[in-house]
Amino acid sequence: MPAGVCGCCGALRPRYKRLVDNIFPEDPRDGLVKSDMEKLTFYAVSAPEKLDRIGAYLAERLSRDVVRHRYGNVFIAMEALDQLLMACHSQSIKPFVESFLRMVAKLLESGEPGLQVYGTNSFVKFANIEEDTPSYHRRYDFFVSRFSAMCHSCNSDPEVQTEIRIAGIRGIQGVVRKTVNDELRATIWEPQHMDKIVPSLLFNMQKMEDNESRIGPPASPSVVGDREESPSVLAENCFRELLGRAAYGNMNNAVRPVFAHLDHHKLWESNEFAVSCFRIIMYSIQAQYSHHVIQQILGHLDLHKRDSPRIRAGIVQVLLEAVAIAAKGSIGPTVLEVFNTLLKHLTLSVDFELGDRRSSAGSAVFSSSTRESDERIVQNAIIQTIGFFGSNLPDYQRSEIMMFIMGKVPVFGSSHTLDTSQLGDLGTKRIQLMLLRSLLMVTSGYKSRTIAAALPLPFLDPLLSPSLMEDCELRQLVLEILHNLIDRHDNRAKLRGIRIIPDVADLKIKREKISKQDVNFMKKHGQQLYRHIYLGCKEEDNVHKNYELLYTTLALVTIELANEEVVIDLIRVAIALQDIAISNEDNLQMFNRCSIMALVSAYMNFLSQMIAVPAFCQHASKVLETRTIDAPYFLPEVIFRDKCSLPKSLDKLDKSVFFLTNKIVESLGGSGYSVDRLSVPYVPQVTDEDRLSRRKSIVDTISIQVDIMAGNNTEDKVNTEEITFESLKKAIDNTGMEEQEKEKRRLVIEKFQKAPFEEIAAQCESKANMLHDKLAQILELTIRPPPSPSGTITITAGHAQYHSIPVYEMKFPDLCVY
């Protein structure tokens, strides 16, 4: 008879108690009595209404044995409970489960590691059972707390410590599975539970020595099985499973404790673990919830905007990893929010860096220099994130982001949406460089069917404005962005390096017939591109890379956008560049003049082979051969070589070393090209961009000198009066500039920006009579009366940096404009 059972009253005991007592042997070491266990199981299945009493009695015996340290009987009782759970699946099992859970809780509360592990194993078996009906009253608060505490076990014996931690992790996994499958699954996602579960898992994941399992999606079962006894591996698998089961409404509670854990343990600075955590999160959650995690990272970045640079850099790096995974999936409404937040922190970082530099000016402060370099890390991380995020967006969203970033780039004198008023000139330049770098990354790989779609006017104008800045790096970035947008057939790599190409056909350049939309684009905006290429070549601080990028720009325009009319315009620009180097009206250094000639050499060689006009190719080849002998410094292979000897002057060179307009006209005219415009020298349009880039505008420097000379007495003193633009305006309209006049002037400026030179010249000729009347009125106001009817009045405009203003000679009574 089993121990503890009185023989005289055994027959009077209820049958379920007698069946339960019979499963315990005389010696607990003999284990469960299997034959009697089969009888108990058959009885429980046959009379399910007795299950609750069986469970209560087993719980009573187990509690007594735990107190008396009869652990053999404890194990037997738990084994019996496990078998009954697996065998019985009726509705009456609910009260039995309550008894079972009380027994498991009793084991977990004990101080014996063996009992804790055994109780955990029983709970895991129970968690894998699918119950027929949900339980509306059962809660697992105790088990969450107890399993979480076991995950942080600090037992002095390492093996026991590992065993308890593994049991705690498996217990948490069991709770998650049981509650998610339950109708009342929302209870596990409450903050009080997540604040215990998530840190416990992260604590064990930190011990992982092999980082490979955290990089991508979950490892295969065979790989996991080899290391399933590792707490770190089990914790990671449980963490992945937890996140995979999270719904949208629970995402915040599941991810928020991760931020708290990383903050508390200061894991942002050496952020390898933080990065790996968010890789797991992004790969584990449902794709449509990715944007929610990104929003939380952005919010956390805002909370730490005043923290050390390394902390901010760590958070930005985590954002980059999250964006890299989510960019091709669902990102929802967070696109602009990502860019707004990052640009705001970019500005803050520059402000912090410059503030430290100002505070440490005149003193060598190591901490300040260290912080400055740390701020650079933050800035580079932000740029990478902006660029990577943008480059992985769909094309329709990427074009919007390009416009968005370009609208943030501060250009002097223009309106932009990023506040840089506190940064000063140096800070503004840093912001310009960083935004253009990020824009370069966004435009990388961007392909559009038409150039008008890639370069709409609201984007083209602000993009080209920095190309006139007094900084060679800014101009380089603008040209590289243009290359990304113009090069639709990936020809740029074939053109890399400014050089004389012996046979362009060997490059196997891909091109298509220019579309009607692209033809219209060049008619409207081609002059803007030519202007910026032309003016970009005249910059004094140009280096080898600038000329190389300018050459590539001309070549790409030729490949992608050149019809017959564009070819003529490009030749005019090339000849005008050659004239810059020869006349040197801008007082350029000899290196710059020779570099411009080298650029023209490389481009004319390329263009002649692209249009394949034999006479033109012959002229280009002859000029290059002559330059090789008489002026090798006009060739890119020579001038851009180290220690190139430069000439002292270009005045004595024979015209055979230059590309001649008349020769080009003859060669192209015989092939059907309309060469009339080649005889008209290229002059860049007059625009406001010089003012926007802090350069002198023609409007700021122009002056008119009126020289009154007697017709018969050439020895008389010349009377000269200087009339400024403002005085002319007041003389014409004493009442001030009305709104109508402002609109009229705006239209005139727009006309000069976009209309071809020939059209402007024709309109000037047609309006000569009107100009005569207006000037006569001005002269009558300023000079009363003329000295004689035959007097001569000369009006001379000043010479601006970029433009040469012609001289107007006016004779009375007739007016002639030359």
Side-chain angles (χ1 to χ4, degrees):
M1 183 175 294
V5 178
C6 178
C8 61
C9 61
L12 300 179
R13 296 169 61 80
R15 185 182 179 187
Y16 72 88
K17 287 188 177 182
R18 284 183 279 125
L19 291 172
V20 170
D21 291 339
N22 291 337
I23 66 174
F24 291 92
E26 292 284 345
D27 187 353
R29 288 176 294 181
D30 294 338
L32 184 69
V33 180
K34 295 183 179 180
S35 58
D36 291 324
M37 186 65 215
E38 291 176 358
K39 295 178 182 178
L40 177 61
T41 302
F42 179 78
Y43 176 78
V45 172
S46 302
E49 67 277 3
K50 299 293 186 179
L51 268 174
D52 59 334
R53 299 183 184 181
I54 294 174
Y57 184 59
L58 275 171
E60 179 185 343
R61 287 203 54 153
L62 183 139
S63 299
R64 185 171 64 247
D65 291 334
V66 168
V67 172
R68 296 176 179 178
H69 300 286
R70 296 175 178 175
Y71 297 137
N73 289 335
V74 171
F75 294 144
I76 292 173
M78 290 305 302
E79 184 178 355
L81 284 169
D82 292 342
Q83 292 190 24
L84 289 173
L85 278 174
M86 299 299 295
C88 303
H89 296 285
S90 65
Q91 294 182 358
S92 302
I93 201 173
K94 301 303 177 186
F96 176 76
V97 169
E98 300 303 324
S99 299
F100 168 79
L101 292 177
R102 285 197 302 272
M103 296 168 67
V104 171
K106 194 72 175 179
L107 296 181
L108 296 177
E109 287 177 332
S110 69
E112 286 294 325
L115 294 183
Q116 293 177 355
V117 172
Y118 201 93
T120 301
N121 293 337
S122 295
F123 182 84
V124 171
K125 292 178 183 178
F126 161 71
N128 292 327
I129 297 175
E130 294 186 7
E131 300 183 47
D132 296 335
T133 57
S135 174
Y136 293 101
H137 62 282
R138 191 185 307 155
R139 296 186 64 86
Y140 299 93
D141 299 23
F142 168 80
F143 295 99
V144 170
S145 300
R146 191 58 195 160
F147 289 138
S148 298
M150 292 169 63
C151 290
H152 293 83
S153 173
C154 296
N155 195 290
S156 57
D157 187 344
E159 292 184 2
V160 174
Q161 179 188 102
T162 300
E163 189 177 11
I164 295 176
R165 288 187 179 183
I166 289 175
I169 296 168
R170 294 181 64 220
I172 288 177
Q173 194 172 31
V175 172
V176 171
R177 291 176 179 175
K178 193 64 178 176
T179 54
V180 168
N181 292 330
D182 201 329
E183 292 294 331
L184 299 181
R185 64 188 65 165
T187 56
I188 194 63
W189 303 107
E190 293 176 358
Q192 63 266 29
H193 299 322
M194 287 292 104
D195 289 344
K196 298 173 183 176
I197 292 175
V198 173
S200 301
L201 298 177
L202 295 178
F203 173 77
N204 286 276
M205 288 166 57
Q206 281 180 256
K207 308 300 180 182
M208 180 177 289
E209 297 178 357
D210 183 5
N211 293 324
E212 293 180 358
S213 63
R214 297 199 227 118
I215 294 177
S220 60
S222 60
V223 176
V224 175
D226 297 337
R227 298 174 295 166
E228 61 182 0
E229 296 304 320
S230 169
S232 55
V233 174
L234 285 175
E236 179 185 327
N237 293 336
C238 183
F239 190 51
R240 289 182 185 274
E241 184 176 351
L242 175 70
L243 295 168
R245 297 174 182 271
Y248 179 79
N250 305 323
M251 192 60 59
N252 182 59
N253 291 339
V255 177
R256 181 182 49 78
V258 178
F259 292 107
H261 181 82
L262 297 175
D263 288 342
H264 180 71
H265 293 277
K266 300 179 180 179
L267 297 173
W268 291 114
E269 295 189 25
S270 55
N271 68 334
E272 294 164 354
F273 179 71
V275 169
S276 66
C277 281
F278 278 90
R279 282 178 180 168
I280 292 173
I281 292 172
M282 297 304 293
Y283 278 121
S284 301
I285 63 175
Q286 300 180 46
Q288 63 268 29
Y289 303 153
S290 298
H291 66 90
H292 188 74
V293 177
I294 294 174
Q295 282 179 322
Q296 288 183 277
I297 300 174
L298 291 172
H300 201 70
L301 181 60
D302 284 337
L303 291 176
H304 290 270
K305 63 183 179 181
R306 299 290 177 182
D307 285 4
S308 69
R310 291 191 175 274
I311 291 178
R312 287 181 282 123
I315 299 175
V316 174
Q317 185 64 33
V318 166
L319 178 63
L320 175 60
E321 295 293 336
V323 162
I325 298 171
K328 293 186 180 298
S330 173
I331 49 178
T334 60
V335 177
L336 292 181
E337 184 180 352
V338 170
F339 287 102
N340 264 325
T341 303
L342 290 176
L343 292 176
K344 179 178 67 176
H345 285 276
L346 185 63
T347 307
L348 280 173
S349 179
V350 172
D351 190 24
F352 291 152
E353 177 190 352
L354 297 179
D356 291 337
R357 184 179 300 177
R358 288 189 293 265
S359 63
S360 61
S363 61
V365 182
F366 177 76
S367 60
S368 296
S369 62
T370 303
R371 180 181 175 90
E372 181 178 331
S373 62
D374 290 345
E375 290 293 349
R376 294 290 180 94
I377 296 174
V378 177
Q379 294 158 16
N380 290 332
I382 292 174
I383 291 172
Q384 289 179 0
T385 305
I386 291 174
F388 193 89
F389 196 4
S391 63
N392 282 278
L393 291 174
D395 285 345
Y396 73 93
Q397 279 189 322
R398 204 191 315 193
S399 60
E400 295 177 0
I401 294 305
M402 287 158 48
M403 298 278 291
F404 179 79
I405 296 177
M406 199 65 243
K408 298 285 186 179
V409 177
V411 179
F412 298 113
S414 66
S415 60
H416 54 89
T417 58
L418 193 63
D419 184 16
T420 57
S421 57
Q422 304 298 323
L423 299 179
D425 291 349
L426 181 60
T428 301
K429 177 188 171 183
R430 290 291 310 280
I431 291 292
Q432 289 171 331
L433 286 172
M434 293 173 192
L435 291 179
L436 289 176
R437 285 174 189 164
S438 61
L439 184 60
L440 179 63
M441 295 183 67
V442 171
T443 56
S444 178
Y446 178 71
K447 297 290 188 298
S448 63
R449 289 192 171 186
T450 64
I451 293 297
L455 291 170
L457 184 60
F459 179 75
L460 179 63
D461 285 342
L463 174 64
L464 292 179
S465 292
S467 69
L468 300 182
M469 293 288 185
E470 295 179 336
D471 184 271
C472 65
E473 189 175 0
L474 279 174
R475 300 196 300 272
Q476 291 171 12
L477 289 170
V478 172
L479 290 174
E480 289 178 322
I481 293 168
L482 272 177
H483 296 171
N484 283 344
L485 298 174
I486 295 176
D487 183 21
R488 293 173 290 180
H489 297 88
D490 299 322
N491 292 310
R492 187 175 19 165
K494 304 171 185 177
L495 301 169
R496 184 173 292 122
I498 179 171
R499 65 195 189 281
I500 304 297
I501 303 173
D503 189 356
V504 174
D506 293 340
L507 300 181
K508 296 181 180 180
I509 290 175
K510 299 178 183 178
R511 64 185 306 191
E512 297 177 4
K513 183 178 179 181
I514 184 171
S515 64
K516 186 178 296 185
Q517 294 90 339
D518 290 345
V519 171
N520 292 333
F521 174 84
M522 291 304 292
K523 285 182 179 179
K524 292 180 179 179
H525 309 297
Q527 294 298 324
Q528 289 176 267
L529 293 176
Y530 305 149
R531 165 186 164 80
H532 286 269
I533 294 171
Y534 176 84
L535 298 181
C537 291
K538 298 172 63 174
E539 298 291 346
E540 295 179 357
D541 63 337
N542 278 343
V543 295
H544 178 194
K545 185 175 181 180
N546 290 88
Y547 294 111
E548 181 178 328
L549 293 172
L550 287 164
Y551 160 75
T552 306
T553 305
L554 287 168
L556 289 175
V557 171
T558 305
I559 295 170
E560 297 286 349
L561 302 169
N563 58 1
E564 181 177 318
E565 183 178 349
V566 173
V567 166
I568 297 299
D569 285 334
L570 290 170
I571 294 174
R572 291 175 61 210
V573 172
I575 297 299
L577 291 174
Q578 180 178 255
D579 293 340
I580 290 174
I582 296 172
S583 63
N584 197 27
E585 294 180 357
D586 298 280
N587 297 320
L588 296 174
Q589 298 292 328
M590 185 56 69
F591 170 79
N592 298 84
R593 297 170 68 187
C594 292
S595 298
I596 293 174
M597 291 298 247
L599 184 153
V600 174
S601 298
Y603 178 65
M604 293 297 273
N605 170 71
F606 177 81
L607 178 63
S608 63
Q609 295 187 56
M610 286 298 294
I611 63 176
V613 175
F616 186 27
C617 291
Q618 185 178 0
H619 173 63
S621 299
K622 187 174 181 180
V623 172
L624 293 176
E625 290 174 4
T626 307
R627 289 187 175 187
T628 303
I629 299 172
D630 298 336
Y633 38 78
F634 284 175
L635 301 176
E637 291 84 354
V638 177
I639 187 62
F640 297 124
R641 185 177 59 196
D642 292 339
K643 299 180 180 180
C644 173
S645 59
L646 299 174
K648 295 182 180 179
S649 173
L650 304 181
D651 297 335
K652 298 181 180 180
L653 291 173
D654 188 79
K655 65 178 184 178
S656 60
V657 300
F658 303 124
F659 295 95
L660 302 177
T661 303
N662 60 338
K663 295 289 187 182
I664 298 174
V665 169
E666 291 176 7
S667 61
L668 295 181
S671 298
Y673 279 80
S674 177
V675 294
D676 295 339
R677 289 186 301 120
L678 280 177
S679 59
V680 180
Y682 171 77
V683 178
Q685 293 177 341
V686 179
T687 68
D688 284 348
E689 288 175 343
D690 294 336
R691 176 182 59 79
L692 297 182
S693 59
R694 283 191 168 179
R695 296 184 182 275
K696 292 182 179 180
S697 172
I698 186 173
V699 180
D700 299 327
T701 58
I702 189 171
S703 64
I704 300 177
Q705 290 184 339
V706 182
D707 299 334
I708 307 171
M709 296 175 292
N712 298 326
N713 188 3
T714 59
E715 296 180 359
D716 290 348
K717 182 178 178 180
V718 178
N719 297 318
T720 301
E721 179 181 356
E722 182 172 346
I723 303 176
T724 64
F725 180 82
E726 289 295 324
S727 64
L728 282 175
K729 183 174 69 171
K730 292 179 181 178
I732 296 171
D733 185 6
N734 292 326
T735 62
M737 184 67 71
E738 302 292 340
E739 289 297 324
Q740 183 178 1
E741 186 69 12
K742 289 183 180 179
E743 179 65 18
K744 181 179 178 180
R745 295 180 69 83
R746 188 190 66 78
L747 293 175
V748 170
I749 292 174
E750 184 176 355
K751 184 71 173 179
F752 273 85
Q753 285 179 335
K754 299 182 179 179
F757 177 79
E758 295 78 9
E759 181 181 344
I760 297 173
Q763 290 188 0
C764 288
E765 184 177 358
S766 66
K767 295 182 179 180
N769 293 331
M770 295 176 60
L771 180 62
H772 173 277
D773 295 337
K774 183 62 70 174
L775 289 174
Q777 179 184 356
I778 296 172
L779 294 173
E780 183 179 0
L781 291 171
T782 56
I783 307 165
R784 299 175 185 232
S788 66
S790 61
T792 301
I793 298 173
T794 302
I795 301 177
T796 305
H799 175 69
Q801 184 173 359
Y802 295 127
H803 309 287
S804 180
I805 308 302
V807 175
Y808 294 88
E809 293 183 353
M810 288 163 286
K811 297 180 181 180
F812 290 91
D814 296 326
L815 173 66
C816 298
V817 181
Y818 300 96

